[in-house]
């Protein structure tokens, strides 16, 4: 979060400050036409009688010194010029779809029976501890449960127990004293809104850049996912691919399944599909789920190698994600949105059995996902 200052060959110098203003930037204009900008005043000795005026670059603002015109262009003038360069509002109104405003799909999955739900939880390795210590607090409070600061359990690679794939990865962060940055404290400058669809050339501007579907959060409810699956117009289509493999003792089953999924994803993008929906709902007594992170990473990098990744976005419908780190690793490995259907179904069942206080009816299950999304992000 530092300021950026550059001199351009067009005869202007430009600077911008981070949104928090954590790195100050002050400037002085002299009567003999010198501009001095630094993180502090007094870096260069200037006689007071030679000072025309002083100022500071405010958080989130842009500073432009036009040397040809011999003036400082205000932040408002710069942004007004950019905003009026093209009919952006018209482009958005004519091309951008809002998932929230789309009609409900008619083929939404029903809540499974307690017995089937238990079988799903067992298939994905969901423990009663995870349900009580992670899922319940997220549903009740809308935030990630707090725990001890230290992590003294063995590394996943040294464990003799079956581990979730994300446990092999650790979070790295800068241990500095900057304030928390999230879409709650900084909702004026941050958003969870996610846009799905084919990406266009970043160096050009056109109405086609707006041909996307807007999500309010990268965490999707079951009904939102079905809306997304049902999208079918000239520019946006979703292709569903099963990320399961035949569970047997034969070697190479998983590897072959991954190659098949990657090839299917490549074919779908070539055929014009702009949303690839990976799902592990097809698990049964003969088919096991491929770890969602493994499937996402495989498809993501395969499409990169084929030069197709920018032509689609990847959405994951999985029972494999149930805590913050799971979502973080999925997004980090290429997912654009996640539908944690098993967690949502578990929350609904917890409410039915009176283990959750708030009321969650079949018509308001989106509140469950809202609590989950708030907890995760």
């Amino acid at each position: 979060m530092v300021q950026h200052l550059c001199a351009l060959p067009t005869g202007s110098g430009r600077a911008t400050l981070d949104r928090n203003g954590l790195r100050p930037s002050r400037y002085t204009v002299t009567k003999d036409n010198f501009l001095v900008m630094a993180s502090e005043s007094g870096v260069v000795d200037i006689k007071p009688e030679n000072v025309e005026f002083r100022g500071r670059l405010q958080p989130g603002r842009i500073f432009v010194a036009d040397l040809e015109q011999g003036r400082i262009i205000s932040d408002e003038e710069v942004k007004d010029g950019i905003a009026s360069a093209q009919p952006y509002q018209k482009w958005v109104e004519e091309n951008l779809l809002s998932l929230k405003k789309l009609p409900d799909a008619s083929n939404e999955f029903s809540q499974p029976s307690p017995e089937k739900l238990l079988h799903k939880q067992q298939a994905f390795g969901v423990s009663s501890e995870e349900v009580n210590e992670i899922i319940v607090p997220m549903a009740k409070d809308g935030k990630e449960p707090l725990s001890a600061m230290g992590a003294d359990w063995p590394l996943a690679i040294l464990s003799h127990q079956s581990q979730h794939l994300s446990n092999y990865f650790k979070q790295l962060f800068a241990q500095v004293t900057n304030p928390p940055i999230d879409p709650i404290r900084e909702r004026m400058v941050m958003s969870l809104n996610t846009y799905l669809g084919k990406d266009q050339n970043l160096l050009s501007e056109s109405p086609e850049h707006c041909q996307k579907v807007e999500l309010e959060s990268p965490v999707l409810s079951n009904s939102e996912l079905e809306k997304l699956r049902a999208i079918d117009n000239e520019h946006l289509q979703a292709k569903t691919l099963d990320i399961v493999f035949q569970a047997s003792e034969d070697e190479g089953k998983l590897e072959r399944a991954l190659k098949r999924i990657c090839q299917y994803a490549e074919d779908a993008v070539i055929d014009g599909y702009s949303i690839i929906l990976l799902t592990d709902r097809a698990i049964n007594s003969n088919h096991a789920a491929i770890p969602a992170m493994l499937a996402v990473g495989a498809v993501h990098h395969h499409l990169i190698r084929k030069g197709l990744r920018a032509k689609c976005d990847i959405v994951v419908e999985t029972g494999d994600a149930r805590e913050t780190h799971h979502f973080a690793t999925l997004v980090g490995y290429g997912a654009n949105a996640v539908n944690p259907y098993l967690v949502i179904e578990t929350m609904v069942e917890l409410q039915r059995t009176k283990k959750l206080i708030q009321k969650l009816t079949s018509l308001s299950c989106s509140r469950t996902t809202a609590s989950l999304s708030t907890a995760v992000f």
Side-chain angles (χ1 to χ4, degrees):
M1 296 181 296
V2 298
Q3 65 204 30
H4 300 280
L5 178 64
C6 64
L8 301 177
T10 55
S12 65
R14 305 183 183 187
T16 182
L17 195 63
D18 66 87
R19 58 184 174 267
N20 290 302
L22 299 176
R23 304 294 184 267
S25 182
R26 303 181 185 278
Y27 61 89
T28 300
V29 177
T30 67
K31 294 179 180 179
D32 53 354
N33 296 323
F34 274 91
L35 168 64
V36 179
M37 174 177 280
S39 59
E40 299 176 2
S41 296
V43 173
V44 177
D45 291 332
I46 301 174
K47 295 181 179 180
E49 59 271 18
N50 191 32
V51 175
E52 182 72 26
F53 64 88
R54 301 178 189 274
R56 70 182 181 91
L57 185 56
Q58 300 179 23
R61 298 297 183 92
I62 299 174
F63 177 96
V64 176
D66 193 314
L67 305 183
E68 295 180 349
Q69 300 182 37
R71 70 186 184 97
I72 296 175
I73 303 177
S74 68
D75 176 83
E76 291 78 9
E77 184 179 349
V78 173
K79 292 178 178 176
D80 286 344
I82 295 173
S84 59
Q86 299 284 0
Y88 299 115
Q89 183 175 354
K90 180 181 178 182
W91 290 356
V92 169
E93 291 174 350
E94 292 179 351
N95 294 281
L96 183 65
L97 294 179
S98 173
L99 188 66
K100 183 178 181 180
K101 297 179 181 179
L102 293 179
D104 292 333
S106 59
N107 57 338
E108 184 176 348
F109 287 92
S110 60
Q111 175 68 15
S113 65
E115 293 78 14
K116 290 184 178 180
L117 178 61
L118 178 59
H119 290 160
K120 285 185 179 181
Q121 292 171 339
Q122 291 173 337
F124 286 101
V126 180
S127 66
S128 58
E129 180 182 11
E130 287 179 308
V131 172
N132 295 324
E133 302 299 329
I134 296 177
I135 296 177
V136 169
M138 287 197 299
K140 284 184 176 180
D141 305 324
K143 61 183 180 181
E144 183 182 9
L146 298 177
S147 57
M149 188 172 182
D152 57 356
W153 55 81
L155 295 175
I157 196 171
L158 301 178
S159 175
H160 295 292
Q161 303 297 323
S162 177
Q163 295 286 326
H164 192 281
L165 189 57
S166 68
N167 291 345
Y168 292 87
F169 301 84
K170 297 294 182 180
Q171 178 186 10
L172 297 179
F173 61 96
Q175 298 186 26
V176 294
T177 57
N178 289 342
I181 296 177
D182 56 50
I184 299 174
R185 296 174 179 86
E186 293 196 335
R187 55 183 175 271
M188 290 294 291
V189 293
M190 292 187 68
S191 172
L192 290 178
N193 285 26
T194 303
Y195 299 89
L196 302 180
K198 179 181 178 180
D199 291 334
Q200 303 292 334
N201 187 350
L202 291 175
L203 302 179
S204 65
E205 295 177 326
S206 69
E208 287 74 22
H209 284 70
C210 303
Q211 291 172 351
K212 290 177 174 288
V213 58
E214 179 185 23
L215 317 179
E216 292 186 342
S217 168
V219 178
L220 296 171
S221 68
N222 294 344
S223 60
E224 289 173 331
L225 183 79
E226 294 311 317
K227 284 184 181 182
L228 196 62
R229 200 196 309 268
I231 289 180
D232 186 7
N233 62 34
E234 184 180 355
H235 310 296
L236 290 167
Q237 290 180 312
K239 179 68 172 181
T240 300
L241 300 177
D242 290 325
I243 51 172
V244 298
F245 71 104
Q246 189 172 1
S248 68
E249 296 181 356
D250 297 338
E251 293 185 2
K253 290 277 188 179
L254 177 58
E255 183 178 0
R256 288 195 294 272
L258 283 171
K259 290 181 179 179
R260 183 192 71 247
I261 294 167
C262 290
Q263 185 60 52
Y264 286 172
E266 177 185 342
D267 294 342
V269 177
I270 293 175
D271 289 341
Y273 290 93
S274 56
I275 299 173
I276 302 299
L277 204 162
L278 305 178
T279 177
D280 55 26
R281 276 189 178 270
I283 59 170
N284 53 38
S285 58
N286 296 319
H287 293 85
I290 297 174
M293 196 173 77
L294 180 61
V296 168
V299 171
H300 173 73
H301 286 283
H302 178 78
L303 294 178
I304 289 176
R305 288 190 294 268
K306 297 298 181 179
L308 299 172
R309 184 61 182 89
K311 295 184 178 181
C312 72
D313 281 323
I314 299 174
V315 178
V316 191
E317 180 185 22
T318 181
D320 205 27
R322 46 192 177 268
E323 60 180 81
T324 303
H325 188 56
H326 299 169
F327 289 88
T329 49
L330 282 172
V331 172
Y333 268 74
N336 298 96
V338 181
N339 165 238
Y341 67 88
L342 184 57
V343 170
I344 296 173
E345 292 171 352
T346 299
M347 288 180 174
V348 173
E349 177 63 19
L350 289 171
Q351 191 277 329
R352 189 190 69 81
T353 56
K354 309 302 181 183
K355 293 183 179 180
L356 287 180
I357 298 176
Q358 68 265 39
K359 184 178 181 180
L360 299 172
T361 67
S362 59
L363 298 178
S364 63
C365 286
S366 58
R367 291 176 55 193
T368 308
T369 314
S371 297
L372 182 60
S373 178
T374 303
V376 171
F377 291 97

